[in-house]
Amino acid sequence: MQQAPYKQRELDPDRISVPIGYQIEVFAQGLNAPIGMVFTEKGDMLIADSGIATLNPRVIRISNGSIDVVAEGFNVPITGINYKNGYIYVSHKGVVTVLSPDGTRRDIISGLPSNGDFGNNRIEFGIDEKIYFGQGTTTNSGVVGLDNSWVVEHPHLHDYPGTYIFLNYNNFETKNILIPAMGTAVTGAFSPFGVPNIQQYQVKEGRTLASGSVIRANMDGSGIEQIAWGLRNPFCMKFDALKRLIISNQGMDARGSRPIANALDELHLLNMGAWYGWPDYTGGVPVTLPRFTPIRGRRPEPLLHTIPSIPPTPIAVFPSGSNIMGFDINESSDFGLIGDVYIACFGGTQYEESGDYIRSGVGHRVLKVNVVNGEIATFAINKSGFPEERGLSRPTDVVFGPDHAMYISDMAIADLDLHNIYLPNTGVIWRIRKIVL
């Protein structure tokens, strides 16, 4: 990853549409790549800078209008932040670190399987005095392929299931990027690159730290246990007023050796011990349905011969490319309907054989979800419908503050000439407040 040059971002809240009776404004700017936020009991805002714009992840504090750096030097990227009783919990690549009030830091969990496509995400605190977090998958859809840029550095890496599974006899042929002289490589599901599955009904053993799992541990990081799996990237989870754990999950892409087109992002309730469908289901339905067939591609075949269980039905599903991220639950009637979930949609480039493009109508906005009936409505979006440098670019998190206002972290803007390069100093925190008409 290379660092992009410095750039000043001009902002214009009037380019963003919010419902009548609400007003959006800039709360903080000149940040790098904010990925998440949390408030302390004093009303200070703690911000997790992912580090993808500068290669130096940091925890930043905004207090009474001043900004200071609390800690830095984490693994790239930071994926989430939380706070309890003076302690800051930082999730970064493969590690959960706790920052103490006296400034000391301690890694309470390390060695997580986060060197693939997705890593360990923000932790949440349960009423059982446990911490909960999502662990993303190593690959997009269960097969290591040419879309995995980490293959050369981590040639033995692959996905692991959460329970014993039986695989169908599916193998996938690609160019051999590890041993070019061999020409091609044949790779099986849940296997390293170039390692085929050699028999019908191949058995794979489950692991506690499974790909796409929900993990629970004691507050000090001990007693790690898996309580669900089958989620591609469970990015954010929070308990609601009924003590139910709500989880945002990002769906599969049309890329790699086993592309899945039109896969859905999902909002789920935690069902203890459940399998949520990855890599053979999306949105509660099998990927073998015709609508998940890529353009000029073959229909996806199931990798699992026998599914572990029937996947739970999501609370809500979101169109492919939404790339849902952090969310919060409204608890104040001063802002809106209590219990509604407001979720940041990062959006993204769609990868198809026809080329890369960004679609209007998907992502780059904040959505409101009624968890009772699953209805989804757009709450904040650029008036153009597209990501904008002067408006919303890449929303990453939504948090309600002690003032009952909504705060939205907006990732740095992307460099249009360089793939996956973000510009320092272009991250923003927006604020939306209810106004009296």
Side-chain angles (χ1 to χ4, degrees), residues 17-58:
S17 175
V18 294
I20 295 174
Y22 294 86
Q23 182 180 61
I24 187 166
E25 60 190 349
V26 177
F27 176 73
Q29 59 183 308
L31 306 175
N32 291 317
I35 195 74
M37 307 165 288
V38 66
F39 281 93
T40 71
E41 67 276 354
K42 295 179 181 179
D44 296 343
M45 176 186 282
L46 300 173
I47 302 171
D49 174 2
S50 65
I52 66 171
T54 62
L55 306 185
N56 181 25
R58 304 186 300 178

Side-chain angles (χ1 to χ4, degrees), residues 135-381:
Q135 174 65 50
T137 59
T138 301
T139 68
N140 173 49
S141 60
V143 182
V144 182
L146 302 183
D147 59 320
N148 303 124
S149 59
W150 42 261
V151 168
V152 174
E153 184 178 359
H154 302 286
H156 303 295
L157 203 60
H158 60 93
D159 289 298
Y160 289 95
T163 58
Y164 276 100
I165 57 172
F166 294 89
L167 296 175
N168 286 320
Y169 187 60
N170 291 331
N171 288 304
F172 301 82
E173 186 173 338
T174 64
K175 180 175 69 173
N176 195 328
I177 57 176
L178 295 182
I179 312 176
M182 293 187 63
T184 62
V186 179
T187 305
F190 292 89
S191 294
F193 183 80
V195 177
N197 290 328
I198 58 175
Q199 61 186 18
Q200 183 74 3
Y201 312 138
Q202 181 110 13
V203 179
K204 296 288 182 177
E205 183 179 0
R207 288 194 173 187
T208 298
L209 296 177
S211 301
S213 57
V214 179
I215 303 298
R216 181 170 66 182
N218 296 322
M219 293 292 293
D220 62 359
S222 65
I224 292 177
E225 58 181 328
Q226 175 212 124
I227 56 174
W229 76 287
L231 295 151
R232 176 174 171 268
N233 189 25
F235 186 81
C236 182
M237 52 187 67
K238 291 187 177 181
F239 285 96
D240 67 4
L242 300 177
K243 310 306 179 186
R244 303 177 302 178
L245 189 62
I246 299 177
I247 305 167
S248 64
N249 181 49
Q250 299 167 354
M252 293 171 278
D253 297 325
R255 62 176 171 90
S257 296
R258 185 175 179 258
I260 311 293
N262 305 312
L264 304 169
D265 287 6
E266 308 159 333
L267 201 65
H268 276 287
L269 290 177
L270 173 69
N271 286 0
M272 293 288 290
W275 172 71
Y276 282 84
W278 182 90
D280 284 351
Y281 283 68
T282 177
V285 297
V287 298
T288 53
L289 295 179
R291 66 176 181 267
F292 301 120
T293 301
I295 297 173
R296 294 185 296 276
R298 68 178 187 179
R299 182 182 299 184
E301 298 177 356
L303 299 182
L304 307 185
H305 177 71
T306 304
I307 63 174
S309 59
I310 301 298
T313 300
I315 297 172
V317 295
F318 307 82
S320 176
S322 297
N323 206 355
I324 60 175
M325 302 280 281
F327 65 87
D328 207 357
I329 305 163
N330 178 42
E331 297 179 350
S332 171
S333 58
D334 291 338
F335 189 89
L337 185 64
I338 293 176
D340 278 352
V341 170
Y342 293 81
I343 189 164
C345 297
F346 187 86
T349 301
Q350 305 297 309
Y351 298 97
E352 301 284 0
E353 288 101 328
S354 57
D356 298 351
Y357 62 96
I358 296 176
R359 292 190 296 177
S360 177
V362 177
H364 312 287
R365 68 193 65 194
V366 174
L367 296 177
K368 180 177 69 172
V369 182
N370 184 317
V371 296
V372 176
N373 56 25
E375 289 183 356
I376 300 172
T378 297
F379 184 76
I381 186 175

Side-chain angles (χ1 to χ4, degrees), residues 398-409:
V398 172
V399 171
F400 285 100
D403 57 353
H404 306 307
M406 173 191 292
Y407 294 80
I408 304 164
S409 59

